[in-house]
Amino acid sequence: MPRMEQGYRVLYSMPPNTMDDEENVFEAVDSFPNAEALIVYQGLVGLDEEKSQLVKESSVLLNRSLLDDWSKQNHKRVIPLVDFFKKRAPLFIFAGDVGTGKTTLAETFGAAISDREKNMSINLYRLSLNARGSGLVGQMSKLISNAFEEIRKTASEIKINAGRPSSGIIFFIDEADALAQSREFQQMHHEDKAGVNSLIRGIDTLSKQGLPVIIVMCTNRFDSLDPAVVRRAAAIFQFKRPSKEQRKEVIKQNLDGIGLKAAQIEKIADLMGSTKDRTYGWTYSDMRLRFFPSLVIDAFPDTAITFDRIVELAQAFEPAKPFTNEKSNA
Ligand SMILES: Nc1ncnc2c1ncn2[C@@H]1O[C@H](COP(=O)(O)OP(=O)(O)OP(=O)(O)O)[C@@H](O)[C@H]1O
Ligand SMILES: [Mg+2]
């Protein structure tokens, strides 16, 4: 199902043609510019460095002449280091704990690229969960090859004017560990290994042809990704649970208007941190998707949301357990 949350509504358009396969390899496609997606992107807390790196890296991947221009301007010639970028696979991995913004960032950063690149049109294609196949021999690898071929074909039709493509593509593979699991795992089915091989072939083909495509893979289990996939990544972004300062920011953002004082916000942010019985703090999604809405339902219809009640409910709240043994920075 396409995602719908925070008032950011996915734009529906027809899924692209899926060759001769019955199943759709892609879920709905989103297009940017999209003002709502840009607001969601801007509202993501604690990811400023990641956002800035991601958008810059994407700009130079989509428009391969930008670095040449930069180099000529700043070093009077194209320095050899710039060539290194031309050979990199256009792959980003978003790894980390549950509910920390991986999917949301992947689904909205196209809006930021579009904004930065003077409204360049960006299309986001999500690999469909159905496309992961039922494990029948040949199915998984065929679906992956089909998806990459579809992306390659669409991307090769994009007009490029003086190095600048008229549009760009984001190919988004969520929960990628299901596809890109390390082939070293003994118990891995032969078909899954073939799937990883097609994935690697697909990534290599896209990078060799220098097409304006960015691949994003999200995972909770970074350690189980195939090393050959990880090695190809242009950048790996690690997502963490919010620190106290970040929790305070999320509280201010979301509980605005109910009259909380600074010391009260401080206290709530503390309650959302680790405790003596729990080594981890709350996730962003614990706060935004579970706790804050529960405050409204609790108070509705007769009372206002009060600080005392927030404290009481926060003390009783069970945050999501970490997916791996990763430490939170609570
Ligand atoms: N950095 C953040 N700042 C603000 N809100 C966030 C942030 N990260 C996540 N959220 C909130 O949590 C919700 C869930 O986040 P998202 O689905 O992107 O997490 P995820 O990392 O993909 O989790 P999972 O690993 O479980 O798939 C978002 O819709 C948003 O409301
Ligand atoms: Mg996710």
Side-chain angles (χ1 to χ4, degrees):
M1 284 291 286
R3 295 157 61 88
M4 216 197 277
E5 56 187 29
Q6 297 180 334
Y8 157 47
R9 203 165 46 74
V10 163
L11 287 179
Y12 296 93
S13 52
M14 287 301 289
N17 212 343
T18 50
M19 313 180 67
D20 51 354
D21 234 52
E22 285 289 295
E23 276 178 280
N24 289 339
V25 276
F26 301 111
E27 286 175 25
V29 182
D30 290 351
S31 358
F32 308 102
N34 176 328
E36 288 172 76
L38 189 60
I39 291 170
V40 174
Y41 168 88
Q42 286 162 345
L44 285 170
V45 172
L47 294 172
D48 291 348
E49 273 174 38
E50 286 78 2
K51 285 179 188 171
S52 148
Q53 188 189 347
L54 181 63
V55 173
K56 271 201 263 183
E57 294 256 14
S58 301
S59 294
V60 301
L61 276 171
L62 290 176
N63 184 347
R64 308 231 169 192
S65 63
L66 284 179
L67 282 182
D68 288 356
D69 297 346
W70 161 83
S71 184
K72 282 180 208 155
Q73 228 165 47
N74 293 282
H75 297 283
K76 301 193 175 59
R77 64 195 184 101
V78 179
I79 56 172
L81 195 52
V82 164
D83 278 341
F84 165 80
F85 282 85
K86 293 182 180 149
K87 295 187 189 106
R88 288 194 320 169
L91 168 67
F92 298 126
I93 297 178
F94 293 2
D97 207 346
V98 295
T100 49
K102 300 181 295 298
T103 301
T104 311
L105 183 62
E107 289 185 331
T108 57
F109 81 102
I113 301 175
S114 182
D115 192 50
R116 182 188 153 107
E117 294 298 318
K118 304 182 186 69
N119 283 339
M120 178 192 284
S121 123
I122 305 281
N123 292 305
L124 167 75
Y125 292 76
R126 293 182 188 76
L127 186 70
S128 157
L129 287 171
N130 299 334
R132 290 157 195 229
S134 55
L136 289 177
V137 174
Q139 193 182 32
M140 172 99 125
S141 41
K142 181 157 176 270
L143 286 165
I144 295 173
S145 320
N146 282 1
F148 272 96
E149 177 53 18
E150 189 72 24
I151 295 278
R152 194 199 58 76
K153 236 173 53 190
T154 311
S156 54
E157 283 160 13
I158 294 173
K159 297 210 168 46
I160 297 184
N161 189 358
R164 186 181 194 273
S166 58
S167 65
I169 292 179
I170 297 172
F171 179 21
F172 175 31
I173 307 177
D174 208 356
E175 318 291 348
D177 36 276
L179 284 190
Q181 210 176 59
S182 177
R183 288 161 297 178
E184 282 166 13
F185 286 162
Q186 290 298 317
Q187 71 274 31
M188 198 173 188
H189 192 275
H190 165 74
E191 177 48 28
D192 292 341
K193 288 187 192 173
V196 179
N197 290 333
S198 332
L199 188 66
I200 293 169
R201 260 199 313 277
I203 296 169
D204 286 347
T205 306
L206 289 182
S207 49
K208 265 195 219 107
Q209 301 194 359
L211 297 168
V213 177
I214 292 161
I215 309 163
V216 179
M217 292 187 181
C218 292
T219 180
N220 297 123
R221 318 175 195 220
F222 181 67
D223 293 343
S224 72
L225 290 189
D226 195 278
V229 174
V230 174
R231 180 172 69 71
R232 282 167 168 75
I236 296 166
F237 297 90
Q238 294 286 351
F239 290 64
K240 294 199 175 84
R241 293 185 184 218
S243 64
K244 183 174 170 189
E245 280 315 302
Q246 289 157 349
R247 291 194 297 267
K248 276 164 60 178
E249 201 174 328
V250 177
I251 296 169
K252 282 185 209 152
Q253 222 182 51
N254 288 267
L255 297 185
D256 187 33
I258 65 170
L260 290 174
K261 301 196 174 67
Q264 295 176 323
I265 292 174
E266 192 83 14
K267 165 86 179 161
I268 300 167
D270 276 333
L271 288 172
M272 293 172 166
S274 54
T275 64
K276 62 177 177 5
D277 309 318
R278 190 182 70 213
T279 55
Y280 48 89
W282 297 23
T283 67
Y284 288 102
S285 72
D286 286 331
M287 298 174 73
R288 297 189 72 177
L289 299 186
R290 293 174 58 205
F291 188 66
F292 297 146
S294 80
L295 297 178
V296 175
I297 295 301
D298 180 69
F300 177 83
D302 298 321
T303 56
I305 298 172
T306 62
F307 171 66
D308 289 346
R309 191 65 187 142
I310 295 174
V311 169
E312 223 173 306
L313 290 172
Q315 278 164 341
F317 186 89
E318 285 284 337
K321 290 199 169 59
F323 197 87
T324 59
N325 295 329
E326 286 178 43
K327 279 206 179 97
S328 67
N329 53 352

